[in-house]
Amino acid sequence: MNAKRPAGEGRPSAAEGRTDAVASGEWRRFHALTPLASVLRMWLSILVAAAWFSRDWIERQNVGTLWGAVRDLGMRAVGWALLAFLAVSVVSSAAAVVVWHVQAFSLGSDGIRLRSGVVLKKRVHVKWGRIQSVEVQRSLLARMLGLGSVTVESAAGKGMRLGWLTKEQCEGLRGAILKAADDARADRPVRILQWREGASELFDEPRVYELQPGRLLASLMLSPVFFIGILSAAASIVLLAFDNQVALLPVALVLLGAAWGGIGAISRKWGASLSLTPDGLRLRSGLASQKATTVLPMRVQTVRVRQRLLWRRLGWWSVEVEVAKTRFTLNEEGAKPTELVTAGSMRDVERVLWALIPDLGVDEPEAFLKDAFEGKGPSELFVAAPRASRALDPFGWRRNAEALTRTVAVLRWGRFFGRSLRIVWHARLQGLRLSQGLVQRALGLASLRLSTAAVAIETVQKHLRLADARSLCERQSQLGRDRRAEGDRESIEGWRERLGIGIARQFEQASGRDGRTLAAALTPGWAGRPRQSEDGGDLKGLCRCAALAGCE
């Protein structure tokens, strides 16, 4: 690899030559407007720091005093302020340009490399087979300029953000990275696709879920956070009305924080949709800043299905998944799972679960899911918490139970503010822990924790009978060993085959339906046992249904 070759030099003219050049590790710089983002972030940090350190002085002033202070500055002070602003802007812009000039990345046969740093040199190398997910992010400013960035997460604890690039280059780079990672996992020679002109391969992306604006607003209004924000705002207004000694700025900050939190939640989830692509499940969302995340099904560690108390009568559920978190991911976003479905119906939940789980490991998956979502107490597969656990969990003890199927462990929780379901694959289990507290020991209870690479979704079944917890622990340990020995992890090729992914536009043209309508007509089926659709056809895959839903 020639790491010292300047960007843009030695570029062959033929398409095959270009592919070989990129595959050998040709270094590419980011878009020329990338330094602008660094300068704007610097000024935003300066403004926030200035407001923070001057907050005490601001709280002692009223609006008239502040306006008078600004008016009394004089032209000389304003001139010095403008001169300081220009000087800092010029210096920071020059530094940003220098940093941008040394920053570059390359796609080679062994992975992605990123170099950066002027004084302290930094090199990051992510191997193709260790890539967990690839995201395309476009902030408001980047969207205005037609730009974006690509974020790559790795299981090795490393991550990188590649940007800014043009919108077309982001989509092309995302496809090239996922294709190379797919080749590496399948032990095929890695082929780097051309990405600078956009995506080289176009596939239909059937939509399996879409969040409508009305349902988004209703789901937020029926959440505990909304009521807490309303109560905080009302208390602040009442306090300000009845106590003249209360400073205006703290109350204004509380009201502004409540409003900003609501606007942020709407902006993050606006237009959320989940589609099937050859590379995995693709989640798109965002109003001001847009984000497109590709979730690789074989990298998912834990699935959580939740229903809030106020959603129960409406039949709404949410589906969250978590892949193995890295230090890069935790620093950037914190320990948060990825929400694939927000306020979706039971049909939406079943479709997404089918896309993620090839086999539930039971003979009657429909009855098992009904028991998992709605059941209470013990059943054929679920080992429930005993009546003695009522003292420790008076509201949810009737629903608390755990089931071990041939392929997954299902943890059923019941709480006053909602109920949830956690699903863990036996083959992805990393450890088991049986624990007892003082009160649990007196009641003959114990808790069983299933350790995975996930850190945000808690996978522990509390307050089980001690004998049941020991039995489940032994069975889970044996099932984990068996499934890992069998290599129980669906490959991306198997996932595509099962769902029929990769079929091009002829299905849409033949059926005369768009992807969203096709997905809405589907009924999932597990373990190679296709079920009948409402149209009467056998459904073996979400995309493949186009040939079965209205065409011969």
Side-chain angles (χ1 to χ4, degrees):
M1 179 178 65
N2 186 8
K4 297 182 179 180
R5 181 191 305 168
E9 292 186 11
R11 190 185 308 156
S13 57
E16 184 177 357
R18 287 197 302 267
T19 303
D20 293 340
V22 176
S24 65
E26 183 177 355
W27 291 96
R28 301 286 188 184
R29 290 199 186 98
F30 301 121
H31 196 276
L33 291 178
T34 303
L36 178 62
S38 302
V39 175
L40 292 179
R41 282 195 296 266
M42 181 206 68
W43 276 114
L44 180 61
S45 302
I46 291 177
L47 291 177
V48 171
W52 174 259
F53 287 110
S54 60
R55 67 188 187 281
D56 294 335
W57 180 81
I58 293 176
E59 289 179 358
R60 293 194 298 267
Q61 312 303 314
N62 55 42
V63 177
T65 305
L66 288 175
W67 173 246
V70 174
R71 187 175 51 190
D72 295 340
L73 285 176
M75 294 301 297
R76 185 181 182 86
V78 173
W80 279 109
L82 290 176
L83 183 61
F85 172 78
L86 291 176
V88 173
S89 298
V90 169
V91 173
S92 60
S93 299
V97 169
V98 173
V99 171
W100 165 80
H101 184 76
V102 300
Q103 257 189 337
F105 72 99
S106 68
L107 307 183
S109 58
D110 58 345
I112 314 173
R113 283 183 166 82
L114 174 67
R115 67 183 187 191
S116 61
V118 179
V119 179
L120 299 177
K121 302 292 185 180
K122 183 179 179 181
R123 299 290 187 271
V124 179
H125 179 210
V126 175
K127 295 183 178 181
W128 294 122
R130 306 297 291 170
I131 290 178
Q132 292 274 26
S133 65
V134 181
E135 299 178 356
V136 176
Q137 297 180 331
R138 303 183 66 208
S139 63
L140 179 60
L141 178 60
R143 290 179 60 192
M144 294 171 60
L145 299 175
L147 305 174
S149 62
V150 178
T151 301
V152 181
E153 298 176 7
S154 166
K158 300 177 182 178
M160 60 176 65
R161 176 173 285 109
L162 309 176
W164 284 342
L165 300 167
T166 65
K167 177 183 176 181
E168 292 75 16
Q169 288 177 343
C170 287
E171 294 295 332
L173 182 59
R174 167 191 164 273
I177 292 174
L178 290 173
K179 177 63 171 62
D182 185 17
D183 291 341
R185 285 191 293 268
D187 292 329
R188 294 191 299 264
V190 174
R191 183 171 65 94
I192 309 298
L193 300 177
Q194 283 296 310
W195 57 270
R196 301 197 69 188
E197 303 301 327
S200 58
E201 297 181 0
L202 297 177
F203 296 93
D204 291 321
E205 298 182 358
R207 191 168 294 175
V208 297
Y209 166 75
E210 183 177 11
L211 180 60
Q212 300 297 330
R215 182 169 291 197
L216 169 61
L217 296 176
S219 66
L220 294 176
M221 293 176 65
L222 294 176
S223 65
V225 177
F226 176 80
F227 288 101
I228 293 174
I230 293 295
L231 291 176
S232 300
S236 301
I237 294 175
V238 170
L239 185 62
L240 183 64
F242 287 93
D243 190 351
N244 296 328
Q245 302 299 321
V246 176
L248 176 62
L249 183 61
V251 176
L253 291 178
V254 171
L255 297 177
L256 182 61
W260 185 257
I263 294 174
I266 294 174
S267 179
R268 286 191 301 271
K269 297 184 179 181
W270 187 269
S273 64
L274 187 66
S275 305
L276 294 172
T277 72
D279 307 304
L281 293 166
R282 190 165 197 197
L283 177 66
R284 294 182 177 90
S285 63
L287 180 60
S289 299
Q290 292 183 340
K291 182 177 180 180
T293 304
T294 301
V295 178
L296 303 176
M298 65 290 305
R299 295 293 186 181
V300 174
Q301 301 293 322
T302 309
V303 180
R304 178 170 63 187
V305 184
R306 294 196 296 179
Q307 185 180 56
R308 294 171 180 167
L309 175 64
L310 298 179
W311 289 7
R312 193 170 300 174
R313 289 187 176 275
L314 300 173
W316 293 351
W317 297 80
S318 67
V319 180
E320 298 168 309
V321 299
E322 188 175 6
V323 298
K325 293 294 183 180
T326 65
R327 292 190 298 271
F328 175 80
T329 309
L330 294 175
N331 291 336
E332 292 290 321
E333 301 178 357
K336 296 181 181 179
T338 301
E339 190 171 47
L340 300 182
V341 174
T342 303
S345 65
M346 181 56 68
R347 176 61 82 63
D348 296 327
V349 173
E350 288 183 351
R351 282 201 296 263
V352 174
L353 289 181
W354 183 40
L356 292 171
I357 306 173
D359 183 8
L360 281 176
V362 293
D363 297 329
E364 296 295 334
E366 295 87 355
F368 175 74
L369 283 180
K370 182 176 178 62
D371 189 15
F373 287 121
E374 303 175 4
K376 294 181 180 179
S379 63
E380 182 180 357
L381 290 176
F382 278 95
V383 178
R387 190 177 184 85
S389 64
R390 183 175 56 176
L392 298 175
D393 190 358
F395 298 108
W397 71 275
R398 292 183 183 274
R399 265 188 54 84
N400 292 347
E402 180 174 350
L404 300 180
T405 72
R406 294 186 298 268
T407 57
V408 296
V410 180
L411 285 65
R412 191 178 69 190
W413 283 16
R415 294 291 185 269
F416 177 74
F417 289 105
R419 48 191 180 183
S420 68
L421 203 71
R422 290 106 197 278
I423 303 175
V424 181
W425 284 263
H426 296 321
R428 303 174 197 181
L429 195 65
Q430 295 188 350
L432 295 166
R433 187 175 70 181
L434 192 66
S435 62
Q436 272 189 311
L438 291 177
V439 180
Q440 286 182 321
R441 190 176 305 170
L443 297 175
L445 306 177
S447 297
L448 179 60
R449 179 179 296 276
L450 283 63
S451 301
T452 67
V455 296
I457 298 179
E458 188 179 18
T459 52
V460 55
Q461 194 64 49
K462 299 179 180 180
H463 314 320
L464 294 170
R465 187 178 286 107
L466 179 59
D468 292 339
R470 287 174 174 170
S471 176
L472 287 171
C473 185
E474 293 175 359
R475 288 177 54 202
Q476 178 67 80
S477 179
Q478 184 61 45
L479 286 169
R481 288 193 296 268
D482 295 343
R483 303 308 293 184
R484 283 191 295 271
E486 296 175 7
D488 184 24
R489 185 182 290 266
E490 188 179 32
S491 65
I492 190 66
E493 290 84 2
W495 184 77
R496 291 171 187 160
E497 175 67 21
R498 180 170 63 88
L499 271 66
I501 302 296
I503 300 175
R505 300 183 183 276
Q506 62 264 28
F507 272 0
E508 180 180 344
Q509 296 170 356
S511 64
R513 304 183 183 186
D514 59 16
R516 179 172 174 267
T517 304
L518 289 174
L522 299 180
T523 303
W526 272 273
R529 300 172 57 251
R531 292 168 53 183
Q532 298 291 319
S533 72
E534 296 175 357
D535 295 334
D538 275 343
L539 299 181
K540 190 175 181 181
L542 294 179
C543 298
R544 192 172 297 162
C545 70
L548 303 168
C551 58
E552 297 296 334

